[in-house]
Amino acid sequence: MTDASELLALALDIAKEAGDLARRRRSEGVAIAATKSAIADIVTEADREVEDLIRGRLAAERPGDGFLGEESGAERGTSGITWVVDPIDGTVNYAYGIPHYAVSIAAVEGEPDPQQWSALAGVVYAPAVDETFSAATGEGAWLEGRRLEVSEPSAAGALLATGFGYDPATHEGDLGRLARVMPLARDVRRAGAASLDLAYVAASRLDGYFERGLNPWDHAAGALLVEEAGGRVAGRPGERPSTLMTIAAASDLHQRISDVIYV
Ligand code: IPD
């Protein structure tokens, strides 16, 4: 039996070191290393360097664990635990000098597939503001010593966040969903880092969040934060979060968002 608190302690330590490196590299200037799935989907030298740091530390401290990272790919382990890592979530913000980006690290058990895994521990660390959101299964979600709880929207409507994928072909569908969700909203944010959108739902800085096109490393840690803060995270009806859809909110709002997205 793996102790989720031990995994969380390690994730916290590594996320801090990784975030410090990302912040330092940002202050020195950012170089775009390559484009990925689309011309707007970029990777910086810092993304690669930060992921190498995280991967190297995990390999040294837990050599039997698997790894699934945004920049360096997947490797199966032997322990049943996989680390799911986005070294810099919000890369476009990072490249433009917008301080809304995060290191996201989750430890999951079971098949390294969000439809099948159980998340054990998760950390979303925002280095530019030095904020650490963390959760371990059954132990709640926390921000700097404060236990987090998802919010219920007020009569003014829900403060919602969403995102738009890098592939222009998907934007018409994204905008159609946004138009259908809009009547539930008091306002909508598109801040540019999915892990922080989820962390903010956990911290009741947002009432809800939905987005199509996320990768496992975008939501692995953030989804655990929301669940441990009493919220619900799911994908398409009856499914867990996936590339096809991720919705996070308190249960009632979650249902209302899902109802209008899937009319
Ligand atoms: C992206 C961000 C963005 C979301 C994209 C993600 P990246 O991650 O989380 O908010 O809209 O879908 O890919 O590329 O910055 O790690």
Side-chain angles (χ1 to χ4, degrees):
M1 167 103 181
T2 308
D3 184 347
S5 315
E6 265 176 43
L7 297 171
L8 178 59
L10 180 59
L12 281 165
D13 191 44
I14 297 177
K16 182 79 176 59
E17 188 180 340
D20 289 347
L21 175 61
R23 192 177 50 229
R24 209 162 56 243
R25 289 289 178 263
R26 176 58 251 183
S27 70
E28 293 161 2
V30 167
I32 309 299
T35 56
K36 299 191 287 181
S37 63
I39 193 166
D41 186 5
I42 53 170
V43 54
T44 70
E45 298 288 358
D47 285 89
R48 290 178 174 168
E49 195 185 350
V50 173
E51 184 155 316
D52 284 352
L53 181 156
I54 297 169
R55 193 166 188 159
R57 278 210 56 192
L58 288 169
E61 305 209 25
R62 295 191 52 96
D65 293 354
F67 187 85
L68 175 60
E70 175 167 20
E71 313 304 344
S72 61
E75 187 182 339
R76 275 187 174 269
T78 51
S79 66
I81 304 293
T82 301
W83 294 88
V84 186
V85 170
D86 192 340
I88 300 178
D89 181 40
T91 302
V92 175
N93 284 347
Y94 185 78
Y96 274 73
I98 297 171
H100 192 77
Y101 62 89
V103 176
S104 176
I105 301 180
V108 305
E109 194 167 33
E111 279 301 300
D113 166 358
Q115 295 302 306
Q116 296 180 55
W117 72 40
S118 300
L120 298 176
V123 173
V124 175
Y125 175 53
V129 288
D130 196 22
E131 281 191 329
T132 309
F133 302 84
S134 66
T137 28
E139 292 173 21
W142 299 83
L143 166 61
E144 313 295 345
R146 178 169 68 88
R147 190 162 186 162
L148 303 180
E149 206 179 327
V150 296
S151 47
E152 300 287 346
S154 75
L159 185 62
L160 298 177
T162 190
F164 307 101
Y166 293 120
D167 179 1
T170 64
H171 291 166
E172 199 179 324
D174 293 337
L175 291 170
R177 276 184 288 277
L178 180 57
R180 293 201 296 281
V181 169
M182 210 60 205
L184 302 176
R186 69 184 298 155
D187 206 345
V188 173
R189 302 286 180 265
R190 195 293 185 250
S195 62
L196 285 171
D197 289 328
L198 289 161
Y200 280 22
V201 172
S204 67
R205 292 177 177 176
L206 292 167
D207 296 312
Y209 162 70
F210 65 97
E211 182 166 350
R212 192 213 58 81
L214 294 188
N215 287 300
W217 43 81
D218 296 316
H219 62 72
L224 181 63
L225 290 168
V226 173
E227 285 167 352
E228 285 294 322
R232 177 158 179 236
V233 186
R236 296 198 304 183
E239 293 179 11
R240 301 174 72 185
S242 73
T243 304
L244 297 172
M245 182 51 66
T246 298
I247 304 173
S251 182
D252 179 58
L253 178 61
H254 193 286
Q255 188 60 52
R256 287 192 287 140
I257 296 171
S258 181
D259 287 348
V260 292
I261 281 183
Y262 295 106
V263 281

